[in-house]
Amino acid sequence: MSIVDALDSKVMCGEVTAVRGTVVDVWFDDGLPPIDAALQCDLDDHESVIAVVHAHLGDSSLRAIATGSTRGMRRGARVLSDGKPLRIPVGHQLIGRVIDLHGQPLDGGAPLSWNESRPLYRSPPPPSFCRGLGDVYPTGIKVIDLFCPFTHGGRVAVFGGAGVGKTVVLTEFIHNAVANLDGIAVFSGIGERSREGLELWQELQDRGFMDRTVMVFGQMKEPPGARFLVGLAALSVAEYFRDVEKKDVLFLVDNVYRHVQAGMEVSGLLGRLPSRVGYQPTLAADIAALEERITATQHGDMVSVQAIYVPADDYSDPAITHAFWHMDSSLVLSRDVAAEGLYPAVDPLASSSKALDPAIVGQRHYDVAQQARRALGRYEELKDLISMLGIDELSSEDRQLVGRARRLRNFLTQPFFVAETFTGIPGRNVPIAATVEGVEAILAGKYDDLPEERLFMIGALDEIEYKTNNR
């Protein structure tokens, strides 16, 4: 769809003066469109491509980044702009649909109406209009609910390097959360592989969840200008359902690091000097522009779960440290835990949550989580000693603690619904109360005589008791 009407007297008309890849320089005779305004640039085949203004080069010239291919663009090509930012269609018509940054269907369905639309660039709601953390949002995943509880209105990040299971954890959360969701789920695929997007869409279709889901994709093949904006586009859709429809929104992102990467590419195309580790000098502002809009307001809840790739498993990377600042709950996936075959590969000692507070989760949950963390921490301290001297050289108290810690680690593994095809084990969804009760029983020594492998890949502890009673 054309973003401007050429007959509108308010439309400014310019011409392309230079094209360098997806970087387009444009000359306007009568003033310049503002920063972040959308431009419609003509191509040779009577088509057009959308570009976004990123810099003013003088009184009459600007630099824009195209959100699509510039093949067929030439110097002197016509450029139109109404001075407004790029917009995306919103409303009930999006439910069950898969679209791109421009609101174009990717699912083969009918074109969308533009009767209702929202700009991609929006200011965060004022602090007086926001609400703080709400009640705990159960995930059904034991290790998350125990050590890193999610909350209504909270921002949650799943941090991890390549191949440790970020997307699997996110997909399992979608499965568990959408089944009981009284609202809308909006999924933003930033720099997604086509295979990953197709698999998620098919998973949601097969389980009947697409009737309350909107998916917005900017795939790896897209130019950096498009990948940088797709998260903002999905967020505008989510804000519409929160603020206008007054619905609870589950906002899911995979992957925030690709948003940062796209911003780094855009910054390089604009000729900005890089900052630390080659990142754009606007790194903090780019992340904040996305994260600060993700919040619960007086109109409705917004729970956000975001996968974030950790480059080279380096948690001191500037992009990761900046992202950490914005999160209410940080779930850290460990390559060492994954190497031991313990899934989900969560590191409970590195993960954290503002919701792990007696005032939110209750005193019992808090005490059990802290006791479990101390036991696992002590076990980590003893690992090297055990590997060198053997467990028999430990004191009887430490041997007992190691046994309970190992049983606890096995109990915190869990078969996922989304992995049933690969594992052959039916998925489990465990209530928080059952998780806390099970961990408390293991730490109290009630299962010291049970072989630790019996606790591996089960749901609640009543599975063991049921099997024992029915032998």
Side-chain angles (χ1 to χ4, degrees):
M1 175 181 175
S2 172
I3 63 169
V4 296
D5 183 350
L7 301 178
D8 190 338
S9 60
K10 296 180 181 178
V11 170
M12 292 176 280
C13 186
E15 66 177 41
V16 174
T17 58
V19 183
R20 294 181 297 277
T22 56
V23 181
V24 182
D25 290 351
V26 184
W27 179 273
F28 284 89
D29 289 325
D30 301 319
L32 292 175
I35 299 296
D36 296 334
L39 309 178
Q40 180 178 307
C41 307
D42 288 350
L43 304 177
D44 281 343
D45 54 3
H46 305 291
E47 296 291 331
S48 62
V49 65
I50 305 302
V52 176
V53 178
H54 280 272
H56 287 172
L57 305 180
D59 294 337
S60 302
S61 183
L62 59 79
R63 181 159 293 164
I65 301 294
T67 60
S69 173
T70 55
R71 183 173 298 165
M73 186 182 294
R74 56 179 174 78
R75 292 179 63 185
R78 186 182 66 160
V79 178
L80 301 177
S81 176
D82 59 5
K84 297 177 182 178
L86 194 60
R87 303 179 73 86
I88 188 168
V90 295
H92 280 280
Q93 61 176 337
L94 293 183
I95 298 176
R97 301 301 302 273
V98 184
I99 62 173
D100 67 7
L101 165 71
H102 304 292
Q104 301 301 315
L106 299 176
D107 54 8
L112 300 172
S113 166
W114 284 80
N115 292 335
E116 288 185 286
S117 65
R118 281 204 160 194
L120 270 59
Y121 288 99
R122 292 169 53 83
S123 299
S128 60
F129 196 66
C130 299
R131 288 191 288 114
L133 297 180
D135 298 331
V136 172
Y137 195 106
T139 68
I141 303 172
K142 292 179 290 188
V143 67
I144 295 177
D145 287 337
L146 179 68
F147 292 110
C148 191
F150 298 175
T151 59
H152 290 271
R155 303 186 197 104
V156 179
V158 182
F159 292 96
V164 295
K166 296 183 300 299
T167 301
V168 175
V169 170
L170 184 64
T171 309
E172 179 72 4
F173 172 75
I174 294 172
H175 174 276
N176 293 351
V178 174
N180 301 312
L181 177 66
D182 184 19
I184 299 296
V186 179
F187 180 86
S188 174
I190 304 176
E192 280 280 276
R193 302 175 185 91
S194 299
R195 171 186 55 79
E196 290 177 334
L198 179 61
E199 288 174 354
L200 178 59
W201 178 72
Q202 289 176 334
E203 178 79 20
L204 295 175
Q205 286 273 40
D206 293 343
R207 298 187 184 274
F209 295 155
M210 276 303 293
D211 60 353
R212 62 197 112 156
T213 303
V214 180
M215 305 182 78
V216 185
F217 281 105
Q219 294 170 300
M220 274 188 172
K221 65 180 181 180
E222 304 291 337
R227 286 183 276 118
F228 184 63
L229 295 174
V230 69
L232 303 177
L235 189 49
S236 292
V237 172
E239 287 172 330
Y240 172 84
F241 286 110
R242 180 195 65 192
D243 298 335
V244 178
E245 298 288 338
K246 295 180 171 55
K247 294 181 179 292
D248 293 342
V249 178
L250 181 63
F251 184 62
L252 306 143
V253 184
D254 189 8
N255 182 307
V256 172
Y257 187 76
R258 294 190 189 122
H259 173 76
V260 173
Q261 278 185 314
M264 183 165 51
E265 293 177 53
V266 168
S267 181
L269 291 171
L270 294 171
R272 296 174 182 155
L273 288 175
S275 183
R276 289 177 54 203
V277 201
Y279 286 112
Q280 62 270 40
T282 56
L283 174 63
D286 290 346
I287 295 177
L290 178 71
E291 297 295 343
E292 290 303 304
R293 289 169 58 184
I294 303 172
T295 182
T297 69
Q298 296 174 13
H299 290 318
D301 264 341
M302 183 182 288
V303 180
S304 172
V305 182
Q306 309 166 38
I308 303 181
Y309 166 71
V310 180
D313 293 340
D314 180 12
Y315 285 87
S316 65
D317 185 271
I320 305 307
T321 56
H322 281 296
F324 259 118
W325 296 344
H326 295 279
M327 299 304 161
D328 300 304
S329 300
S330 298
L331 188 69
V332 176
L333 302 185
S334 166
R335 194 171 303 282
D336 292 337
V337 175
E340 294 184 54
L342 302 172
Y343 291 98
V346 175
D347 184 347
L349 302 179
S351 301
S352 62
S353 173
K354 294 178 182 177
L356 192 58
D357 184 293
I360 298 176
V361 298
Q363 190 65 49
R364 182 192 181 195
H365 183 152
Y366 176 80
D367 290 341
V368 170
Q370 294 302 324
Q371 186 182 355
R373 188 166 277 164
R374 284 193 295 271
L376 292 172
R378 179 59 178 162
Y379 173 59
E380 289 297 319
E381 294 174 0
L382 295 171
K383 265 187 175 180
D384 289 341
L385 188 61
I386 294 171
S387 64
M388 289 187 294
L389 303 178
I391 195 170
D392 292 335
E393 297 300 318
L394 300 180
S395 66
S396 59
E397 181 181 344
D398 280 343
R399 283 200 302 273
Q400 182 186 72
L401 182 144
V402 167
R404 292 175 183 176
R406 291 177 63 89
R407 286 171 175 79
L408 177 59
R409 290 202 319 161
N410 280 359
F411 175 65
L412 292 176
T413 61
Q414 186 169 339
F416 280 179
F417 290 97
V418 297
E420 287 179 0
T421 305
F422 308 102
T423 64
I425 306 173
R428 307 287 199 281
N429 187 319
V430 183
I432 295 178
T435 297
V436 173
E437 184 179 345
V439 172
E440 188 176 41
I442 291 171
L443 294 174
K446 295 182 179 179
Y447 293 86
D448 284 357
D449 296 331
L450 186 75
E452 59 187 57
E453 60 270 14
R454 292 277 301 279
L455 293 164
F456 182 71
M457 281 293 171
I458 65 169
L461 282 180
D462 57 12
E463 286 187 32
I464 295 175
E465 294 167 1
Y466 174 81
K467 292 175 183 177
T468 302
N469 295 333
N470 287 272
R471 280 183 172 176

